[in-house]
């Protein structure tokens, strides 16, 4: 999955920089807050793999290869995609809320942000990083990621930075729900993460022979 994501980002980067390919990528993967909601939702799955035109593509490739790769190993393919799209979708929908709030609100956005092309994997990367840190109890690393995103907003208060915060918030809500669910289930919740023993063994260790 990670290799496929890296390939898609590379492919879209090449195509969108061609005269013949820019419009095609625009029609299937560009998302703006001024677009109708149904169109933005339709384009969101591919927008994650369309690198931002004003940023170096190697940054997106490095982020995806590292964070998606670790997440795929730790969480599995489908959970990785679910968390990634949850974070991306939260950021995409926030843009409309931010515009409605307006620039005078700390959570709002100026009207000019409605025309910004909102693509790339950064929100998914941030959300996955926080989720993996929670899943494996890497509290210091997870806190460092959150602090770094807050500092980003304080230094450069733009759409991308605020979307990163919203992506983290969405993932933390998912984490809170899972913690609540596991607390209600009690000790049985811990058994979900234990792999069943292989046939003929009591654990993952090979059977004892005498």
């Amino acid at each position: 999955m990670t290799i496929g994501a890296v390939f898609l980002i590379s492919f879209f980067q090449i195509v969108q920089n061609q005269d013949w390919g820019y419009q095609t990528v625009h029609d299937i993967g560009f998302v703006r807050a001024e677009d109708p909601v149904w169109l933005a939702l339709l384009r969101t799955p591919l927008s994650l793999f369309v690198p931002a035109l004003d940023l170096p593509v190697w940054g997106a490739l490095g982020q995806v290869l590292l964070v998606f790769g670790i997440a795929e190993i730790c969480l599995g393919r489908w959970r990785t995609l679910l968390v990634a799209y949850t974070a991306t979708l939260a950021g995409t929908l926030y843009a409309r809320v931010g515009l409605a709030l307006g620039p005078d609100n700390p959570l709002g956005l100026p009207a000019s942000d409605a025309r910004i092309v909102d693509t790339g994997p950064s929100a998914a990367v941030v959300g996955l990083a926080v989720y993996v840190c929670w899943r494996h109890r890497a509290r210091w690393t997870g806190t460092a990621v959150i602090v770094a995103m807050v500092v980003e907003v304080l230094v450069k208060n733009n759409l991308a930075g605020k979307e990163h915060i919203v992506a983290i918030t969405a993932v933390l809500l998912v984490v809170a729900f899972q913690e609540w669910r596991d607390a209600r289930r009690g000790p049985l919740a811990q058994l979900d993460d234990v792999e069943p023993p292989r046939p003929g063994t009591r654990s993952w260790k090979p059977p004892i022979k005498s």
Side-chain angles (χ1 to χ4, degrees), residues 133-151:
C133 288
W134 164 75
R135 186 78 177 178
H136 292 274
R137 299 298 185 260
R139 293 180 177 86
W140 286 107
T141 305
T143 301
V145 173
I146 295 173
V147 170
M149 295 301 102
V150 172
V151 171

Side-chain angles (χ1 to χ4, degrees), residues 31-44 89 92-93 96:
V31 174
R32 296 184 179 91
E34 66 180 4
D35 296 333
V37 175
W38 67 267
L39 183 59
L41 294 177
L42 191 63
R43 291 176 173 176
T44 293
L89 187 60
T92 297
L93 295 178
R96 288 160 172 74

Side-chain angles (χ1 to χ4, degrees), residues 48 67-68 83-85 87-88 120-129 167:
L48 193 156
V67 178
F68 271 62
V83 174
Y85 277 120
T88 300
S122 59
V125 165
V126 171
L128 278 172

